[in-house]
Amino acid sequence: MERTLSIIKPDGVKKNITGEIIRRFETAGLRVAAIKKAHMTKAVAEGFYAVHKGKFFYDELTDFMSEGPVVLMVLEGNDAIALNRKLMGATNFKEADPGTIRADFATSIQFNVVHGSDAPDTAKFEISYFFAETEIF
Ligand code: ATP
Ligand code: MG
């Protein structure tokens, strides 16, 4: 069993496809172990994406992630980190496999609907950034 952090980004929340995205996770065998809605401040978004600090897209990315509410989830399952990334599709929606969330719903490299942790250490950091252990079931 592995845990990963999933975020439905502000563009996904605005498109009103939260249920559709969760259905894809559940159908693939992932379980929602924790869930809440939040509106990040710019500072919270900067802390979350600190790994990208200094990159040309960092300021725009953190503006985007703090411009509206998101849905935060801890997903649990076998190989959850890789499975979630597979369901999301490539960062650039034009390169995402058909049937993935980003292929179906993303509108640019930036506005790509979902976030998913990319490794066990980042999953641990990202889950603890938003959830207390007592909020995860
Ligand atoms: P995420 O971390 O959001 O799950 P990812 O791991 O597929 O996405 P990263 O390289 O970590 O991709 O980039 C984080 C986010 O920054 C991307 O999801 C996207 O919203 C934005 N981003 C990445 N590369 C670019 C780019 N070249 N131009 C604009 N935005 C970008
Ligand atoms: Mg990433």
Short mmCIF file of all heavy atoms in Angstrom, two decimals, residues 21-71:
data_model
loop_
_atom_site.label_atom_id
_atom_site.label_comp_id
_atom_site.label_asym_id
_atom_site.label_seq_id
_atom_site.Cartn_x
_atom_site.Cartn_y
_atom_site.Cartn_z
N ILE A 21 -13.17 13.01 -12.09
CA ILE A 21 -11.77 12.68 -11.80
C ILE A 21 -11.69 11.62 -10.69
O ILE A 21 -10.95 10.64 -10.81
CB ILE A 21 -10.98 13.96 -11.43
CG1 ILE A 21 -10.84 14.84 -12.69
CG2 ILE A 21 -9.62 13.62 -10.85
CD1 ILE A 21 -10.30 16.23 -12.43
N ILE A 22 -12.48 11.79 -9.64
CA ILE A 22 -12.46 10.81 -8.54
C ILE A 22 -12.95 9.45 -9.06
O ILE A 22 -12.41 8.40 -8.70
CB ILE A 22 -13.32 11.30 -7.36
CG1 ILE A 22 -12.65 12.53 -6.71
CG2 ILE A 22 -13.50 10.19 -6.32
CD1 ILE A 22 -13.46 13.18 -5.61
N ARG A 23 -13.94 9.45 -9.92
CA ARG A 23 -14.44 8.19 -10.50
C ARG A 23 -13.30 7.44 -11.22
O ARG A 23 -13.15 6.23 -11.09
CB ARG A 23 -15.58 8.45 -11.48
CG ARG A 23 -16.24 7.18 -12.02
CD ARG A 23 -17.19 7.45 -13.18
NE ARG A 23 -16.49 7.97 -14.36
CZ ARG A 23 -15.73 7.27 -15.18
NH1 ARG A 23 -15.56 5.98 -14.97
NH2 ARG A 23 -15.13 7.83 -16.22
N ARG A 24 -12.47 8.19 -11.95
CA ARG A 24 -11.35 7.55 -12.65
C ARG A 24 -10.36 6.93 -11.66
O ARG A 24 -9.86 5.83 -11.89
CB ARG A 24 -10.65 8.57 -13.55
CG ARG A 24 -11.51 8.98 -14.73
CD ARG A 24 -10.81 10.00 -15.60
NE ARG A 24 -11.69 10.45 -16.67
CZ ARG A 24 -11.28 10.77 -17.89
NH1 ARG A 24 -10.00 10.74 -18.19
NH2 ARG A 24 -12.14 11.17 -18.81
N PHE A 25 -10.08 7.64 -10.57
CA PHE A 25 -9.17 7.11 -9.55
C PHE A 25 -9.75 5.83 -8.95
O PHE A 25 -9.07 4.81 -8.82
CB PHE A 25 -8.93 8.14 -8.44
CG PHE A 25 -8.16 9.37 -8.87
CD1 PHE A 25 -8.35 10.60 -8.22
CD2 PHE A 25 -7.22 9.31 -9.89
CE1 PHE A 25 -7.64 11.73 -8.60
CE2 PHE A 25 -6.50 10.45 -10.28
CZ PHE A 25 -6.71 11.65 -9.63
N GLU A 26 -11.01 5.90 -8.55
CA GLU A 26 -11.63 4.75 -7.88
C GLU A 26 -11.74 3.54 -8.82
O GLU A 26 -11.49 2.41 -8.42
CB GLU A 26 -13.01 5.13 -7.33
CG GLU A 26 -12.89 6.11 -6.15
CD GLU A 26 -14.23 6.51 -5.55
OE1 GLU A 26 -15.26 6.42 -6.25
OE2 GLU A 26 -14.24 6.92 -4.38
N THR A 27 -12.11 3.80 -10.07
CA THR A 27 -12.23 2.71 -11.04
C THR A 27 -10.90 2.00 -11.25
O THR A 27 -10.84 0.80 -11.46
CB THR A 27 -12.75 3.26 -12.40
OG1 THR A 27 -14.02 3.88 -12.17
CG2 THR A 27 -12.91 2.16 -13.44
N ALA A 28 -9.80 2.77 -11.15
CA ALA A 28 -8.47 2.20 -11.34
C ALA A 28 -7.93 1.52 -10.09
O ALA A 28 -6.84 0.95 -10.10
CB ALA A 28 -7.51 3.29 -11.79
N GLY A 29 -8.68 1.58 -8.99
CA GLY A 29 -8.26 0.87 -7.78
C GLY A 29 -7.67 1.74 -6.69
O GLY A 29 -7.19 1.23 -5.67
N LEU A 30 -7.67 3.06 -6.89
CA LEU A 30 -7.20 3.96 -5.83
C LEU A 30 -8.35 4.30 -4.90
O LEU A 30 -9.50 4.40 -5.32
CB LEU A 30 -6.61 5.24 -6.45
CG LEU A 30 -5.33 5.03 -7.27
CD1 LEU A 30 -4.99 6.29 -8.06
CD2 LEU A 30 -4.16 4.65 -6.35
N ARG A 31 -8.02 4.50 -3.62
CA ARG A 31 -9.02 4.79 -2.62
C ARG A 31 -8.76 6.19 -2.07
O ARG A 31 -7.62 6.58 -1.84
CB ARG A 31 -8.87 3.77 -1.48
CG ARG A 31 -10.05 3.61 -0.56
CD ARG A 31 -9.77 2.52 0.47
NE ARG A 31 -8.64 2.88 1.35
CZ ARG A 31 -8.73 3.77 2.34
NH1 ARG A 31 -9.86 4.36 2.61
NH2 ARG A 31 -7.67 4.04 3.07
N VAL A 32 -9.83 6.98 -1.90
CA VAL A 32 -9.67 8.33 -1.32
C VAL A 32 -9.56 8.18 0.19
O VAL A 32 -10.54 7.90 0.87
CB VAL A 32 -10.86 9.23 -1.70
CG1 VAL A 32 -10.71 10.60 -1.04
CG2 VAL A 32 -10.96 9.38 -3.22
N ALA A 33 -8.35 8.38 0.72
CA ALA A 33 -8.10 8.21 2.16
C ALA A 33 -8.30 9.51 2.92
O ALA A 33 -8.49 9.51 4.14
CB ALA A 33 -6.69 7.68 2.38
N ALA A 34 -8.26 10.64 2.20
CA ALA A 34 -8.50 11.96 2.80
C ALA A 34 -8.91 12.90 1.68
O ALA A 34 -8.47 12.74 0.54
CB ALA A 34 -7.24 12.49 3.48
N ILE A 35 -9.78 13.87 2.00
CA ILE A 35 -10.23 14.83 0.98
C ILE A 35 -10.69 16.12 1.64
O ILE A 35 -11.31 16.10 2.70
CB ILE A 35 -11.37 14.21 0.12
CG1 ILE A 35 -11.79 15.17 -1.01
CG2 ILE A 35 -12.57 13.80 0.97
CD1 ILE A 35 -12.65 14.49 -2.08
N LYS A 36 -10.31 17.25 1.05
CA LYS A 36 -10.86 18.55 1.47
C LYS A 36 -10.66 19.58 0.37
O LYS A 36 -9.82 19.43 -0.51
CB LYS A 36 -10.24 19.03 2.77
CG LYS A 36 -8.75 19.29 2.75
CD LYS A 36 -8.27 19.63 4.17
CE LYS A 36 -6.77 19.67 4.25
NZ LYS A 36 -6.28 19.69 5.65
N LYS A 37 -11.45 20.63 0.44
CA LYS A 37 -11.30 21.75 -0.47
C LYS A 37 -10.51 22.83 0.25
O LYS A 37 -10.65 22.99 1.47
CB LYS A 37 -12.69 22.28 -0.86
CG LYS A 37 -12.82 22.65 -2.31
CD LYS A 37 -14.27 22.65 -2.76
CE LYS A 37 -14.36 23.18 -4.18
NZ LYS A 37 -15.72 23.13 -4.70
N ALA A 38 -9.67 23.58 -0.49
CA ALA A 38 -8.89 24.65 0.13
C ALA A 38 -8.61 25.72 -0.91
O ALA A 38 -8.61 25.43 -2.11
CB ALA A 38 -7.58 24.09 0.66
N HIS A 39 -8.40 26.94 -0.45
CA HIS A 39 -7.96 28.02 -1.33
C HIS A 39 -6.59 28.46 -0.85
O HIS A 39 -6.47 29.12 0.18
CB HIS A 39 -8.97 29.18 -1.29
CG HIS A 39 -8.73 30.21 -2.34
ND1 HIS A 39 -9.71 31.02 -2.85
CD2 HIS A 39 -7.59 30.57 -3.00
CE1 HIS A 39 -9.20 31.83 -3.77
NE2 HIS A 39 -7.91 31.57 -3.86
N MET A 40 -5.55 28.07 -1.56
CA MET A 40 -4.17 28.38 -1.14
C MET A 40 -3.89 29.87 -1.26
O MET A 40 -4.32 30.50 -2.24
CB MET A 40 -3.16 27.67 -2.07
CG MET A 40 -3.14 26.19 -1.94
SD MET A 40 -1.79 25.53 -2.97
CE MET A 40 -2.60 24.07 -3.59
N THR A 41 -3.15 30.39 -0.31
CA THR A 41 -2.58 31.73 -0.49
C THR A 41 -1.40 31.57 -1.45
O THR A 41 -0.92 30.45 -1.69
CB THR A 41 -2.07 32.31 0.83
OG1 THR A 41 -1.03 31.44 1.32
CG2 THR A 41 -3.19 32.41 1.87
N LYS A 42 -0.92 32.70 -1.97
CA LYS A 42 0.27 32.66 -2.83
C LYS A 42 1.45 32.03 -2.06
O LYS A 42 2.19 31.22 -2.61
CB LYS A 42 0.60 34.09 -3.26
CG LYS A 42 1.90 34.26 -4.02
CD LYS A 42 1.73 34.13 -5.51
CE LYS A 42 3.03 34.55 -6.24
NZ LYS A 42 3.07 34.07 -7.61
N ALA A 43 1.58 32.38 -0.79
CA ALA A 43 2.70 31.86 0.02
C ALA A 43 2.60 30.35 0.20
O ALA A 43 3.61 29.64 0.15
CB ALA A 43 2.74 32.56 1.38
N VAL A 44 1.39 29.85 0.40
CA VAL A 44 1.21 28.40 0.56
C VAL A 44 1.55 27.69 -0.76
O VAL A 44 2.22 26.65 -0.77
CB VAL A 44 -0.23 28.07 1.04
CG1 VAL A 44 -0.53 26.58 0.90
CG2 VAL A 44 -0.42 28.51 2.48
N ALA A 45 1.12 28.27 -1.88
CA ALA A 45 1.43 27.68 -3.19
C ALA A 45 2.95 27.71 -3.44
O ALA A 45 3.52 26.76 -3.96
CB ALA A 45 0.69 28.42 -4.29
N GLU A 46 3.61 28.80 -3.04
CA GLU A 46 5.07 28.91 -3.22
C GLU A 46 5.79 27.84 -2.39
O GLU A 46 6.75 27.23 -2.86
CB GLU A 46 5.55 30.30 -2.81
CG GLU A 46 5.22 31.36 -3.85
CD GLU A 46 5.54 32.78 -3.39
OE1 GLU A 46 5.81 32.98 -2.19
OE2 GLU A 46 5.50 33.68 -4.24
N GLY A 47 5.31 27.61 -1.18
CA GLY A 47 5.93 26.59 -0.33
C GLY A 47 5.72 25.19 -0.90
O GLY A 47 6.63 24.36 -0.89
N PHE A 48 4.53 24.97 -1.43
CA PHE A 48 4.21 23.66 -2.00
C PHE A 48 5.10 23.36 -3.21
O PHE A 48 5.60 22.26 -3.38
CB PHE A 48 2.74 23.59 -2.39
CG PHE A 48 2.34 22.27 -2.96
CD1 PHE A 48 2.19 21.17 -2.13
CD2 PHE A 48 2.15 22.11 -4.33
CE1 PHE A 48 1.86 19.93 -2.65
CE2 PHE A 48 1.83 20.87 -4.85
CZ PHE A 48 1.68 19.78 -4.02
N TYR A 49 5.28 24.36 -4.08
CA TYR A 49 6.06 24.16 -5.30
C TYR A 49 7.48 24.71 -5.16
O TYR A 49 8.10 25.10 -6.16
CB TYR A 49 5.35 24.83 -6.49
CG TYR A 49 4.29 23.97 -7.15
CD1 TYR A 49 2.97 24.39 -7.25
CD2 TYR A 49 4.61 22.73 -7.72
CE1 TYR A 49 1.99 23.61 -7.87
CE2 TYR A 49 3.65 21.94 -8.34
CZ TYR A 49 2.36 22.38 -8.42
OH TYR A 49 1.40 21.61 -9.05
N ALA A 50 8.02 24.72 -3.94
CA ALA A 50 9.36 25.26 -3.68
C ALA A 50 10.43 24.58 -4.56
O ALA A 50 11.42 25.22 -4.93
CB ALA A 50 9.72 25.09 -2.21
N VAL A 51 10.19 23.32 -4.92
CA VAL A 51 11.14 22.57 -5.76
C VAL A 51 11.32 23.26 -7.13
O VAL A 51 12.36 23.10 -7.78
CB VAL A 51 10.66 21.10 -5.92
CG1 VAL A 51 9.32 21.03 -6.64
CG2 VAL A 51 11.68 20.24 -6.63
N HIS A 52 10.33 24.05 -7.55
CA HIS A 52 10.40 24.74 -8.85
C HIS A 52 10.86 26.20 -8.73
O HIS A 52 10.88 26.92 -9.72
CB HIS A 52 9.04 24.70 -9.55
CG HIS A 52 8.63 23.32 -9.97
ND1 HIS A 52 9.42 22.50 -10.72
CD2 HIS A 52 7.50 22.60 -9.72
CE1 HIS A 52 8.81 21.33 -10.94
NE2 HIS A 52 7.64 21.37 -10.32
N LYS A 53 11.21 26.62 -7.52
CA LYS A 53 11.66 28.01 -7.31
C LYS A 53 12.82 28.34 -8.25
O LYS A 53 13.76 27.54 -8.37
CB LYS A 53 12.11 28.18 -5.85
CG LYS A 53 12.11 29.61 -5.41
CD LYS A 53 12.44 29.78 -3.96
CE LYS A 53 12.80 31.22 -3.80
NZ LYS A 53 12.23 31.91 -2.75
N GLY A 54 12.75 29.49 -8.93
CA GLY A 54 13.82 29.87 -9.85
C GLY A 54 13.51 29.53 -11.30
O GLY A 54 14.10 30.09 -12.21
N LYS A 55 12.55 28.59 -11.53
CA LYS A 55 12.20 28.25 -12.91
C LYS A 55 11.32 29.36 -13.50
O LYS A 55 10.62 30.06 -12.77
CB LYS A 55 11.46 26.92 -12.97
CG LYS A 55 12.39 25.76 -12.60
CD LYS A 55 11.76 24.40 -12.83
CE LYS A 55 12.71 23.34 -12.29
NZ LYS A 55 12.03 22.07 -12.02
N PHE A 56 11.35 29.49 -14.82
CA PHE A 56 10.65 30.60 -15.47
C PHE A 56 9.14 30.58 -15.21
O PHE A 56 8.48 31.61 -15.26
CB PHE A 56 10.94 30.62 -16.98
CG PHE A 56 10.25 29.54 -17.75
CD1 PHE A 56 9.00 29.77 -18.33
CD2 PHE A 56 10.82 28.27 -17.89
CE1 PHE A 56 8.34 28.77 -19.03
CE2 PHE A 56 10.17 27.27 -18.58
CZ PHE A 56 8.93 27.51 -19.16
N PHE A 57 8.58 29.38 -14.95
CA PHE A 57 7.13 29.29 -14.78
C PHE A 57 6.67 29.36 -13.33
O PHE A 57 5.48 29.28 -13.04
CB PHE A 57 6.59 28.02 -15.46
CG PHE A 57 7.17 26.71 -14.95
CD1 PHE A 57 6.69 26.12 -13.78
CD2 PHE A 57 8.19 26.07 -15.65
CE1 PHE A 57 7.21 24.92 -13.31
CE2 PHE A 57 8.72 24.86 -15.19
CZ PHE A 57 8.23 24.30 -14.01
N TYR A 58 7.62 29.52 -12.37
CA TYR A 58 7.29 29.46 -10.94
C TYR A 58 6.28 30.52 -10.50
O TYR A 58 5.30 30.21 -9.79
CB TYR A 58 8.58 29.59 -10.13
CG TYR A 58 8.42 29.53 -8.62
CD1 TYR A 58 8.04 28.36 -7.98
CD2 TYR A 58 8.69 30.65 -7.84
CE1 TYR A 58 7.92 28.30 -6.60
CE2 TYR A 58 8.58 30.60 -6.46
CZ TYR A 58 8.19 29.42 -5.85
OH TYR A 58 8.07 29.37 -4.49
N ASP A 59 6.47 31.74 -10.94
CA ASP A 59 5.57 32.82 -10.50
C ASP A 59 4.16 32.64 -11.06
O ASP A 59 3.17 32.74 -10.34
CB ASP A 59 6.16 34.18 -10.90
CG ASP A 59 5.45 35.33 -10.19
OD1 ASP A 59 5.21 35.22 -8.96
OD2 ASP A 59 5.09 36.31 -10.85
N GLU A 60 4.09 32.32 -12.35
CA GLU A 60 2.77 32.09 -12.98
C GLU A 60 2.08 30.87 -12.38
O GLU A 60 0.87 30.87 -12.15
CB GLU A 60 2.96 31.82 -14.48
CG GLU A 60 2.75 33.03 -15.35
CD GLU A 60 2.71 32.66 -16.82
OE1 GLU A 60 2.24 31.55 -17.17
OE2 GLU A 60 3.18 33.48 -17.63
N LEU A 61 2.87 29.82 -12.12
CA LEU A 61 2.31 28.59 -11.56
C LEU A 61 1.71 28.84 -10.18
O LEU A 61 0.60 28.39 -9.88
CB LEU A 61 3.41 27.52 -11.47
CG LEU A 61 3.07 26.23 -10.72
CD1 LEU A 61 1.94 25.46 -11.40
CD2 LEU A 61 4.32 25.33 -10.62
N THR A 62 2.41 29.60 -9.34
CA THR A 62 1.93 29.83 -7.98
C THR A 62 0.77 30.85 -7.97
O THR A 62 -0.08 30.77 -7.09
CB THR A 62 3.08 30.25 -7.05
OG1 THR A 62 3.80 31.34 -7.64
CG2 THR A 62 4.04 29.08 -6.81
N ASP A 63 0.75 31.75 -8.96
CA ASP A 63 -0.44 32.62 -9.14
C ASP A 63 -1.66 31.76 -9.47
O ASP A 63 -2.73 31.89 -8.86
CB ASP A 63 -0.24 33.61 -10.30
CG ASP A 63 0.49 34.86 -9.88
OD1 ASP A 63 0.63 35.09 -8.66
OD2 ASP A 63 0.92 35.62 -10.77
N PHE A 64 -1.47 30.88 -10.45
CA PHE A 64 -2.55 29.99 -10.91
C PHE A 64 -3.07 29.12 -9.77
O PHE A 64 -4.28 29.02 -9.55
CB PHE A 64 -2.02 29.14 -12.07
CG PHE A 64 -2.80 27.91 -12.40
CD1 PHE A 64 -4.18 27.96 -12.60
CD2 PHE A 64 -2.16 26.68 -12.53
CE1 PHE A 64 -4.90 26.80 -12.91
CE2 PHE A 64 -2.87 25.53 -12.83
CZ PHE A 64 -4.24 25.59 -13.02
N MET A 65 -2.17 28.52 -9.01
CA MET A 65 -2.59 27.58 -7.96
C MET A 65 -3.27 28.29 -6.79
O MET A 65 -3.96 27.63 -6.00
CB MET A 65 -1.38 26.79 -7.46
CG MET A 65 -0.83 25.80 -8.47
SD MET A 65 -2.03 24.53 -8.98
CE MET A 65 -2.08 23.51 -7.50
N SER A 66 -3.11 29.62 -6.69
CA SER A 66 -3.74 30.36 -5.59
C SER A 66 -4.90 31.22 -6.07
O SER A 66 -5.47 31.99 -5.31
CB SER A 66 -2.68 31.20 -4.86
OG SER A 66 -2.05 32.10 -5.75
N GLU A 67 -5.28 31.08 -7.34
CA GLU A 67 -6.33 31.97 -7.88
C GLU A 67 -7.75 31.48 -7.55
O GLU A 67 -8.72 32.23 -7.72
CB GLU A 67 -6.16 32.12 -9.40
CG GLU A 67 -6.81 31.00 -10.19
CD GLU A 67 -6.57 31.07 -11.70
OE1 GLU A 67 -5.77 31.88 -12.16
OE2 GLU A 67 -7.19 30.25 -12.39
N GLY A 68 -7.89 30.26 -7.09
CA GLY A 68 -9.22 29.72 -6.76
C GLY A 68 -9.08 28.45 -5.95
O GLY A 68 -7.97 27.95 -5.76
N PRO A 69 -10.21 27.91 -5.48
CA PRO A 69 -10.13 26.71 -4.65
C PRO A 69 -9.65 25.47 -5.41
O PRO A 69 -9.82 25.38 -6.63
CB PRO A 69 -11.57 26.52 -4.15
CG PRO A 69 -12.41 27.37 -5.00
CD PRO A 69 -11.57 28.45 -5.59
N VAL A 70 -9.06 24.57 -4.66
CA VAL A 70 -8.59 23.28 -5.19
C VAL A 70 -9.22 22.17 -4.36
O VAL A 70 -9.75 22.43 -3.27
CB VAL A 70 -7.05 23.16 -5.12
CG1 VAL A 70 -6.37 24.23 -5.95
CG2 VAL A 70 -6.56 23.19 -3.67
N VAL A 71 -9.17 20.94 -4.87
CA VAL A 71 -9.55 19.77 -4.08
C VAL A 71 -8.28 18.99 -3.77
O VAL A 71 -7.54 18.62 -4.69
CB VAL A 71 -10.57 18.88 -4.82
CG1 VAL A 71 -10.86 17.61 -4.02
CG2 VAL A 71 -11.87 19.64 -5.08
#
